[in-house]
């Protein structure tokens, strides 16, 4: 049969001859496993320097330009994004829980099934919509 070669990076073994070893060492799986192994030993400063040296994604930059209206900015502004996010959160937090409950209570909840589904009475009990007053819960129920 012959000798077998075990690759420490991939955790695979195969017959050891020039063709098989060369094919394995040039394979994508081996290259990824080897890179992953050595990346585990890199320090964070090196990783940060490499990430900062990368160019921004062109697809991301193009989508940001389309949103803004082609104002020839080189990179999107994070501060603008954070301000928009803060305003959105503030507007969502202005509605109190009681107001949300009033909005829900004023309109009755209507349940409907998409076309092609079975009638409600033909569905299993776990898929039935809740009753109008909601499900009744027992006081001392223990789960588990």
């Amino acid at each position: 049969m012959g000798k077998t070669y075990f690759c420490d990076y991939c955790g695979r073994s195969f017959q050891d001859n020039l063709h098989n070893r060369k094919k394995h060492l040039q394979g994508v799986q081996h290259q990824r496993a080897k890179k992953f192994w050595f990346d585990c030993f890199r320090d964070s400063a090196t990783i940060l320097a490499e990430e900062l040296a990368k160019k921004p994604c062109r697809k991301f930059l193009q989508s940001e330009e389309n949103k803004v209206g082609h104002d020839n900015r080189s990179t999107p502004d994070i501060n603008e994004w954070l301000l928009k996010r803060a305003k959105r959160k503030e507007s969502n937090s202005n509605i109190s829980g009681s107001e949300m409950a009033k909005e829900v209570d004023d309109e009755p909840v209507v349940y409907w099934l998409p076309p092609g589904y079975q009638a409600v009475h033909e569905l299993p009990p776990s898929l039935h919509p809740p009753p109008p007053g909601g499900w009744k819960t027992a006081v001392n129920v223990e789960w588990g």
Side-chain angles (χ1 to χ4, degrees), residues 117-128:
Y117 278 68
Q118 301 171 339
V120 174
H121 67 277
E122 295 177 5
L123 292 172
S126 62
L127 296 179
H128 283 232

Side-chain angles (χ1 to χ4, degrees), residues 58-74:
R58 289 180 297 169
K59 192 172 187 178
F60 174 74
L61 292 177
Q62 288 173 353
S63 68
E64 286 298 313
E65 287 175 2
N66 290 339
K67 290 178 188 174
V68 175
H70 303 289
D71 62 351
N72 296 326
R73 293 187 320 179
S74 60

